[in-house]
Amino acid sequence: MTDQAIGYGPLFSVLAHPRRRALVVLLAIAPEGSLDLATAAHVLAVLEDGSGVSTKQVRNVRTSLKRSHQAPLQTADIVEYGTSRLERGPRFGAAVRAIAHAAEKPQTQQ
């Protein structure tokens, strides 16, 4: 299925949450295109709260990834969740392009 067939509206909706965007970027730079869920939770916790994160903070991020972010990312085919591993889904590339496009500075019209 192509990006045009699915449409970008749902993709943007899923990527509206900053934690989901951060997870996609993290997965984009991950070796071999996959990442352990525990590692992802730790890195996201550090990005959000600074370097001195507690085990409880990491656990909270991991729980949030499982409960709040897994289903939307998986339904949109952006990320595939294994039992403890995240992998790039079929629409992962479209998600990365959408994030990169949104990050570009808007051009001013003259």
Side-chain angles (χ1 to χ4, degrees), residues 53-64:
V53 295
S54 68
T55 303
K56 182 179 179 182
Q57 288 170 300
V58 174
R59 188 173 50 244
N60 288 343
V61 170
R62 184 178 175 150
T63 299
S64 172

Side-chain angles (χ1 to χ4, degrees), residues 35-43 58 62 84:
L35 192 60
D36 182 78
L37 182 60
T39 302
H42 187 247
V43 171
V58 174
R62 184 178 175 150
S84 64

Side-chain angles (χ1 to χ4, degrees), residues 3 7-17 20-22 24-25 28 73 76 78 91-105:
D3 295 335
Y8 279 99
L11 187 68
F12 286 119
S13 177
V14 170
L15 295 173
H17 196 286
R20 292 180 193 156
R21 290 192 306 273
V24 170
V25 171
L73 288 167
I78 297 170
R91 295 198 69 213
F92 181 81
V96 171
R97 287 189 300 277
I99 292 168
H101 179 71
E104 291 177 357
K105 293 182 181 179

Side-chain angles (χ1 to χ4, degrees), residues 23-88:
L23 182 63
V24 170
V25 171
L26 185 59
L27 193 53
I29 62 172
E32 302 169 13
S34 66
L35 192 60
D36 182 78
L37 182 60
T39 302
H42 187 247
V43 171
L44 290 174
V46 169
L47 288 172
E48 293 172 4
D49 298 322
S51 61
V53 295
S54 68
T55 303
K56 182 179 179 182
Q57 288 170 300
V58 174
R59 188 173 50 244
N60 288 343
V61 170
R62 184 178 175 150
T63 299
S64 172
L65 289 174
K66 286 181 173 179
R67 292 185 181 170
S68 301
H69 304 295
Q70 177 177 349
L73 288 167
Q74 210 164 2
T75 300
D77 287 331
I78 297 170
V79 176
E80 294 178 348
Y81 281 75
T83 54
S84 64
R85 198 132 188 97
L86 308 172
E87 296 186 9
R88 299 172 183 172

